[in-house]
Amino acid sequence: MAAVSSAHKFTVKKVKTQTLSPRSPSNGPSDFQVSVDAEAGDANSFDIESVHDLIYLANITVGGIEYGVQLDTGSSDLFIKGDTYPIPSTTETSTMHNLTYAIGWAYGHIAYSPVEFLGISVPSQAFVDASTANNPALGFGAQGIAGLGFTRLSSIDLALNGTQQSTGRSLLYNLFEANPAEPNFIAFALSRKGEAGSVNEVEGSFSIGEYEPEYAAVSGSVRIPTWPIHFPFRWNLLLDAVIVKDKITTPTTSVVGAPSNKAVVLMDSGSSYSSLNVQYRYVSEEVCNAIYGNVPGAAFDPSIGYWRVPCSAEINMALQIGGEVIPLHPLDVNPTTAFDPTMCIGSFVPQKIAIAKDFDWLIGDNVLRSVYSVYDFGDFDASGKMGDPYMKLFPLITPDGASAEFHKERGGTPKTGITFTGLNGQSIAPSFAISTDISDSLEMIGKFMPAMLGVVALNALIVIVCCIVWLVSFCRKRKSRPTARNPRARMSPMPMNPRNSYIAGLPPVQPHTYEPVSMALTEDTLFAPPSPAFHGFDSSKARPGDRPKSVA
């Protein structure tokens, strides 16, 4: 996407701390904001945010007052811890809300206020007006955090939706909506000027809708889709490989549905170091050992939770993301600490993330300083529909140049001819694995499949035989069934010789013939009960023509 001249940009300031404080478990309750709370009970190690010596700050105007905030692509909400509470010129709601981050939290009322950022004005932006907060960014001079993620991750939006309101959209959503003519991407250049602890302030750049002229070639870089590709919650990408010198380590994932030969990494500008989710212990051992295990004098220190690395050790490594090989600056792989410049630690930390389920790694500024990164929320098509989000990564260093800078700071002789070869062809293609439970089930089914097929075949044979037997029996019964007979009645009168009947006392009866009578019994034949039996003849009651009654 071409940048336009009316886009907005400014510089961001890098500041450093002078203290190293032990990590303590998060003090605030968790919410939907960021599910990357450091696991409690690991009290001997230092938290990722307190060990580092720099963060990047920018200014935002809330209610007419300017505040310095940390720019964080790993979250989506804005909170301000002002000098007074509540912040002037804001509209407080009755909704109290807690924001939880990787380290730290902020708690207060959800409020609305006019906001101006990079010259773009938002009439009403929802944010947390923090009454109390415990966040390392506040120790660096920041007065809040500006989340630059998707609205889907915003816990403020979720909380306001629960009150039937749709006014909790993220800061970037409202900035893009206020300037529909602007391309809807942001771009970071987290510049490096010398050793991390050697200067108090170092400037980088942050822009909306515009590329830095010196990095305009990023427009031709490969589009790296987020994971998931459609409607993601975070700026997650798929990591193809970790390359240390000429050794390639293929990562694995614990994210459900992700390719088994990739790691899902969160591109988080709010974290200085890169944390490996070692919920499964073998992941950290494989990756961290690949980076630091072969360095002479390097060892993991369980008392602080980091690798201690000799400051003179140059570690040449690269990450392959979206098929692109990204060289990392060796000064960022084993940086010095602010409290002891002679002590160097590994910036890839086996930090256990107890709740994170949608990413494996949290990639911070130690990687992002080596690239010019573009976070694109999706291009609009001809019909005005926004496409899927993606990122572009443009390498800012060359391996040989980085080696020269490293040895200029640490001493020694630079290396030359450093190259990195990543995966290609079928080896880089994503592969999807099934879960252990499903795999065991399929193995069990395959083992007993012949027996199961035999039982099914036997049952089918029994059913067929029973059907044949029944059919034969039915046919035989049908053939042997008797047929009902319909007797035929006599249809012509029986020839009878006429007879004269004489009855005493009566005149002679005329001759007659008997009418045909059917002898067949049918359903409509009336039943006539038999006459009473004959017991004698009473002559005193006899009438002319009477006859004895038979028993029948």
Side-chain angles (χ1 to χ4, degrees):
M1 178 183 296
V4 294
S5 58
S6 60
H8 306 268
K9 66 178 182 179
F10 62 13
T11 56
V12 294
K13 181 176 66 174
K14 181 182 76 174
V15 298
K16 66 186 183 69
T17 182
Q18 299 297 331
T19 60
L20 179 68
S21 58
R23 183 185 64 183
S24 60
S26 176
N27 297 319
S30 299
D31 59 15
F32 191 66
Q33 167 69 19
V34 174
S35 57
V36 291
D37 295 329
E39 184 177 17
D42 198 7
N44 291 327
S45 60
F46 298 101
D47 59 63
I48 299 173
E49 298 292 350
S50 64
V51 172
H52 70 72
D53 59 348
L54 54 92
I55 65 172
Y56 292 87
L57 303 180
N59 293 326
I60 187 171
T61 301
V62 179
I65 302 176
E66 192 173 79
Y67 301 94
V69 294
Q70 182 184 17
L71 302 179
D72 182 19
T73 57
S75 63
S76 298
D77 289 314
L78 171 66
F79 91 82
I80 299 294
K81 180 68 173 70
D83 297 328
T84 61
Y85 179 82
I87 293 176
S89 303
T90 61
T91 302
E92 300 282 325
T93 70
S94 59
T95 303
M96 303 296 294
H97 192 63
N98 184 81
L99 299 176
T100 305
Y101 297 88
I103 300 294
W105 50 271
Y107 178 76
H109 284 90
I110 295 179
Y112 296 94
S113 177
V115 169
E116 183 177 343
F117 189 56
L118 281 77
I120 305 174
S121 296
V122 176
S124 180
Q125 176 63 47
F127 70 102
V128 168
D129 183 3
S131 58
T132 57
N134 182 4
N135 194 291
L138 303 179
F140 294 95
Q143 292 179 281
I145 293 178
L148 303 177
F150 301 99
T151 295
R152 292 193 71 193
L153 185 62
S154 169
S155 65
I156 293 178
D157 183 61
L158 182 65
L160 292 178
N161 284 340
T163 61
Q164 307 303 315
Q165 300 182 64
S166 59
T167 54
R169 306 300 186 189
S170 67
L171 175 63
L172 277 182
Y173 181 95
N174 290 331
L175 291 174
F176 291 143
E177 187 177 50
N179 288 267
E182 300 286 356
N184 54 342
F185 68 81
I186 59 176
F188 279 99
L190 305 181
S191 299
R192 178 191 303 99
K193 292 184 179 179
E195 191 73 86
S198 61
V199 292
N200 289 328
E201 296 184 2
V202 173
E203 292 184 346
S205 72
F206 172 75
S207 62
I208 294 181
E210 181 181 17
Y211 301 134
E212 283 289 333
E214 58 184 311
Y215 308 131
V218 71
S219 61
S221 297
V222 174
R223 295 183 178 185
I224 306 174
T226 59
W227 182 267
I229 297 176
H230 309 295
F231 308 110
F233 281 94
R234 312 178 193 272
W235 287 107
N236 290 344
L237 303 181
L238 294 179
L239 176 70
D240 302 321
V242 178
I243 309 168
V244 181
K245 296 182 179 179
D246 56 352
K247 181 181 179 181
I248 298 177
T249 301
T250 302
T252 58
T253 183
S254 61
V255 178
V256 176
S260 59
N261 60 337
K262 313 284 183 182
V264 180
V265 296
L266 171 61
M267 309 300 287
D268 183 13
S269 65
S271 176
S272 289
Y273 291 171
S274 292
S275 170
L276 310 184
N277 182 356
V278 294
Q279 186 172 2
Y280 300 100
R281 179 60 60 179
Y282 65 89
V283 174
S284 67
E285 291 180 355
E286 181 182 8
V287 175
C288 289
N289 285 340
I291 299 174
Y292 303 112
N294 295 323
V295 177
F300 180 75
D301 188 343
S303 66
I304 61 174
Y306 289 86
W307 280 77
R308 294 183 181 271
V309 185
C311 293
S312 60
E314 177 186 352
I315 301 175
N316 295 305
M317 66 170 294
L319 300 180
Q320 187 174 16
I321 303 176
E324 297 290 298
V325 176
I326 310 295
L328 304 185
H329 204 295
L331 287 175
D332 292 323
V333 180
N334 60 327
T336 59
T337 58
F339 74 97
D340 184 4
T342 64
M343 172 185 173
C344 291
I345 59 175
S347 63
F348 287 85
V349 185
Q351 171 79 29
K352 187 165 186 176
I353 301 174
I355 310 176
K357 296 181 180 179
D358 59 345
F359 64 90
D360 302 297
W361 292 22
L362 189 152
I363 284 187
D365 296 338
N366 64 326
V367 173
L368 295 177
R369 274 194 296 273
S370 296
V371 297
Y372 183 66
S373 53
V374 175
Y375 298 73
D376 199 306
F377 284 73
D379 300 330
F380 291 98
D381 58 19
S383 63
K385 182 180 178 181
M386 182 182 291
D388 296 320
Y390 60 88
M391 286 190 65
K392 291 183 177 181
L393 301 176
F394 181 71
L396 298 181
I397 67 169
T398 61
D400 288 357
S403 178
E405 292 178 359
F406 178 85
H407 289 284
K408 182 180 179 180
E409 295 290 338
R410 306 279 180 90
T413 303
K415 299 179 181 179
T416 58
I418 304 172
T419 59
F420 300 103
T421 303
L423 301 174
N424 54 40
Q426 187 63 32
S427 59
I428 200 174
S431 64
F432 294 87
I434 58 177
S435 67
T436 303
D437 293 339
I438 297 178
S439 177
D440 293 342
S441 299
L442 292 178
E443 183 180 355
M444 186 71 67
I445 292 174
K447 181 178 180 180
F448 293 101
M449 182 59 72
M452 294 171 63
L453 291 177
V455 172
V456 171
L458 178 60
N459 291 336
L461 179 61
I462 293 174
V463 171
I464 293 174
V465 171
C466 291
C467 290
I468 293 175
V469 171
W470 176 85
L471 183 61
V472 172
S473 176
F474 176 79
C475 293
R476 289 180 177 178
K477 288 182 179 180
R478 187 175 181 84
K479 290 181 179 179
S480 62
R481 181 179 300 172
T483 304
R485 299 179 61 183
N486 295 321
R488 291 178 298 174
R490 297 181 178 91
M491 302 305 295
S492 60
M494 297 174 60
M496 299 290 294
N497 293 326
R499 295 179 58 189
N500 292 330
S501 297
Y502 171 77
I503 300 176
L506 294 178
V509 181
Q510 296 296 326
H512 65 275
T513 58
Y514 288 96
E515 295 297 330
V517 178
S518 174
M519 302 302 293
L521 294 177
T522 61
E523 294 179 355
D524 57 350
T525 302
L526 295 177
F527 173 76
S531 301
F534 175 74
H535 300 285
F537 182 80
D538 189 355
S539 60
S540 63
K541 297 180 181 180
R543 291 179 300 173
D546 283 349
R547 300 179 63 186
K549 297 179 181 180
S550 65
V551 176

